[in-house]
């Protein structure tokens, strides 16, 4: 019999939680950060390299893959795992967020969203049922229900209307998903910054019943203070015995603050995108390798880091290859950033298990406050 998806909560410290999500393709240690493989690749990284950073799961993008190379083609070629050479778990988003960002290219109705491809202008219709079909063809382990995500700030009537549409779509997603042993479906809480709308959304999702629950509609322009304000109440509205996923987050201090408030899973393009633009994350804050101060510096980015960029290359070299537009620059700095993010998650998992998360968090902020090492 195929193993079903399950979540085991192993330790708590305050509201912070650590545990493990079990899937047919391997365990996911939580809190977990999921690197984003938008078009069936984490940019500038081999799958083996992503795994070497400590990642247990990747995120794939329904919208981009349905347009190119198409879900049907990926299915014919053996599914997304085989196609991209990643045999561990994959979560796919529903496509809703990307479609909603195509403001001038889409038409929203109760049925779904009609839109034109940003690639060739071809017309497509994405509905809860079609989103479930695409994600089934991709073969992802964790499937997200189809929702609408309005950008913030937005007025209350718009947020309320959008949330209730998303809840109707969540029910249609659940019906279309059916019973798929070994695969999980997550519902997505909406409601903007409004506590009563978040509560209404959570109640609707719990009534439908999902394998996990996401907190959507944040990290869309509201700022960290407002996001943390929602996270002060939103995670506790969701079932304690299911994983909680904060979508699209974020910077290191966003992630630490989210885990502190009870979040189990996160994803963001930031570590890979920043790596390609010369911005690297270290325990002492952000380093911009493009700055001239690094051009004669023989020291590593972070002397305590064990990634290949820090073990084998100097700041001077990384500055040079970035300025020279060499491909190895994106490779090394993306690897470093993903390694740093996974090291961050492991540090939080260890601290929660040991019951010292508050001390760990204080140390995290204190070290970052020091800023980068002094120039030579």
């Amino acid at each position: 019999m195929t193993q079903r998806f399950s979540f085991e909560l192993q330790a708590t410290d305050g509201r912070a939680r650590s545990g493990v999500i079990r899937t047919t393709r391997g365990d996911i240690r939580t809190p977990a950060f999921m690197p984003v493989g938008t078009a069936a690749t984490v940019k500038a990284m081999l799958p083996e390299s992503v795994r070497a950073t400590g990642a247990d799961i990747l995120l794939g993008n329904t919208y981009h893959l349905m347009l190119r190379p198409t879900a049907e083609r990926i299915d014919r070629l053996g599914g997304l795992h085989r196609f991209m050479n990643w045999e561990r778990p994959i979560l796919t988003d529903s496509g809703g967020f990307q479609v909603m960002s195509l403001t001038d290219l889409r038409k929203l109705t109760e049925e779904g969203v009609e839109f034109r491809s940003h690639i060739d202008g071809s017309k497509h219709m994405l509905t809860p049922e079609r989103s479930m079909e695409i994600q089934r063809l991709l073969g992802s382990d964790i499937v997200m229900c189809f929702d609408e995500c309005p950008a913030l700030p937005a007025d209350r009537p718009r947020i309320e209307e959008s949330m209730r549409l998303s809840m109707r779509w969540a029910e249609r997603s659940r019906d279309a998903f059916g019973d798929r042993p070994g695969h999980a479906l997550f519902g997505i809480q909406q409601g903007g910054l409004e506590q009563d709308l978040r509560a209404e959304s959570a109640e609707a999702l719990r009534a439908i019943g999902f394998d996990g629950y996401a907190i959507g509609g944040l990290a869309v322009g509201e700022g960290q203070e407002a996001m943390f304000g929602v996270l002060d109440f939103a995670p506790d509205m969701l079932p304690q015995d299911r994983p909680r996923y904060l979508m699209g987050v974020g910077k290191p201090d966003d992630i630490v603050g989210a885990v502190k408030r009870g979040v189990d899973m996160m994803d963001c393009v930031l570590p890979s995108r920043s790596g390609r633009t010369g911005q690297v994350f270290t325990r002492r804050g952000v380093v911009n390798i493009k700055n001239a101060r690094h051009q004669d510096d023989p020291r590593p980015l972070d002397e305590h880091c064990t990634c290949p960029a820090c073990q084998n290359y100097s700041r001077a070299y990384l500055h040079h290859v970035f300025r020279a537009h060499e491909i190895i620059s994106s490779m090394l700095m993306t690897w470093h950033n993903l390694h740093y993010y996974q090291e961050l998650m492991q540090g939080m998992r260890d601290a929660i298990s040991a019951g010292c998360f508050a001390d760990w968090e204080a140390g995290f902020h204190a070290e970052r406050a020091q800023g980068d090492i002094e120039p030579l």
Side-chain angles (χ1 to χ4, degrees):
M1 178 179 290
T2 303
Q3 175 191 345
R4 285 190 174 266
F5 175 95
S6 67
F7 174 59
E8 178 187 347
L9 188 59
Q10 296 177 328
T12 60
D13 187 0
R15 293 173 64 204
R17 299 145 45 104
S18 67
V20 60
I21 298 169
R22 304 197 189 282
T23 79
T24 57
R25 291 185 180 271
D27 292 347
I28 304 160
R29 298 162 294 170
T30 65
F33 178 80
M34 300 181 285
V36 177
T38 301
T41 176
V42 178
K43 290 181 174 61
M45 294 288 285
L46 290 169
E48 299 90 333
S49 307
V50 177
R51 178 59 178 156
T53 68
D56 292 334
I57 177 173
L58 295 184
L59 184 142
N61 188 276
T62 292
Y63 167 80
H64 288 281
L65 294 173
M66 71 176 278
L67 296 178
R68 184 173 57 193
T70 76
E72 287 75 13
R73 177 168 288 120
I74 291 173
D75 178 48
R76 290 195 302 270
L77 293 168
L80 185 55
H81 296 84
R82 179 179 297 179
F83 187 63
M84 67 181 293
N85 188 33
W86 176 265
E87 286 306 316
R88 293 192 60 80
I90 294 174
L91 179 149
T92 46
D93 61 14
S94 69
F97 180 81
Q98 284 74 25
V99 168
M100 298 312 155
S101 68
L102 301 172
T103 309
D104 300 325
L105 298 172
R106 65 167 174 87
K107 178 183 177 183
L108 174 68
T109 66
E110 181 71 32
E111 178 63 19
V113 187
E114 186 179 74
F115 67 95
R116 289 191 177 277
S117 165
H118 72 285
I119 298 170
D120 60 8
S122 58
K123 189 178 290 187
H124 301 266
M125 183 72 178
L126 197 53
T127 65
E129 293 78 13
R130 176 61 177 153
S131 177
M132 295 303 100
E133 180 186 21
I134 292 167
Q135 294 181 79
R136 180 186 60 77
L137 290 168
L138 296 174
S140 53
D141 305 277
I142 301 177
V143 171
M144 301 305 299
C145 72
F146 189 60
D147 68 333
E148 195 213 352
C149 178
L152 297 179
D155 58 32
R156 182 184 167 93
R158 170 75 180 93
I159 293 169
E160 189 171 3
E161 176 187 32
S162 172
M163 181 273 289
R164 289 177 179 155
L165 175 63
S166 289
M167 295 309 97
R168 295 192 294 274
W169 284 359
E171 189 160 16
R172 286 168 56 190
S173 295
R174 172 82 266 181
D175 290 343
F177 180 82
D179 182 23
R180 297 180 59 203
H183 300 267
L185 178 64
F186 281 26
I188 306 175
Q189 182 200 51
Q190 292 289 353
L193 307 180
E194 309 293 330
Q195 187 165 355
D196 62 323
L197 296 183
R198 289 273 171 186
E200 180 182 332
S201 177
E203 185 178 355
L205 293 173
R206 293 176 75 143
I208 298 167
F210 291 93
D211 301 298
Y213 295 82
I215 301 164
L218 295 177
V220 289
E222 75 282 358
Q224 187 189 75
E225 184 179 354
M227 179 178 75
F228 283 172
V230 173
L231 294 179
D232 283 336
F233 57 77
D236 291 336
M237 294 173 171
L238 302 172
Q240 296 282 327
D241 63 346
R242 303 295 167 91
R244 302 157 172 174
Y245 164 31
L246 177 61
M247 306 180 76
V249 171
K251 295 178 181 178
D253 53 336
D254 293 335
I255 289 174
V256 172
V259 170
K260 177 182 180 178
R261 290 164 173 82
V263 169
D264 304 306
M265 305 168 67
M266 285 138 287
D267 78 280
C268 190
V269 298
L270 196 60
S272 50
R273 179 178 290 167
S274 296
R276 300 194 303 278
T277 58
Q279 186 177 67
V280 288
F281 299 95
T282 75
R283 65 197 73 237
R284 295 185 59 153
V286 178
V287 172
N288 286 307
I289 203 65
K290 66 188 79 171
N291 293 347
R293 60 163 284 187
H294 303 295
Q295 63 187 354
D296 291 308
D297 196 332
R299 297 171 296 179
L301 287 169
D302 184 338
E303 63 179 2
H304 300 293
C305 179
T306 59
C307 84
C310 293
Q311 290 290 298
N312 303 315
Y313 300 94
S314 66
R315 290 178 177 225
Y317 179 77
L318 295 172
H319 172 84
H320 159 66
V321 291
F322 179 80
R323 287 292 190 182
H325 306 291
E326 292 292 344
I327 294 169
I328 196 174
S329 171
S330 295
M331 295 163 62
L332 289 173
M333 287 189 282
T334 300
W335 192 320
H336 168 83
N337 282 346
L338 291 175
H339 178 99
Y340 171 76
Y341 268 61
Q342 295 301 337
E343 196 173 62
L344 191 67
M345 306 316 291
Q346 186 61 55
M348 288 190 285
R349 290 193 292 264
D350 291 344
I352 294 166
S353 297
C356 61
F357 185 82
D359 290 341
W360 181 93
E361 182 194 16
F364 164 81
H365 289 298
E367 199 166 23
R368 283 171 61 83
Q370 295 175 24
D372 194 18
I373 56 178
E374 290 296 320
L376 291 174

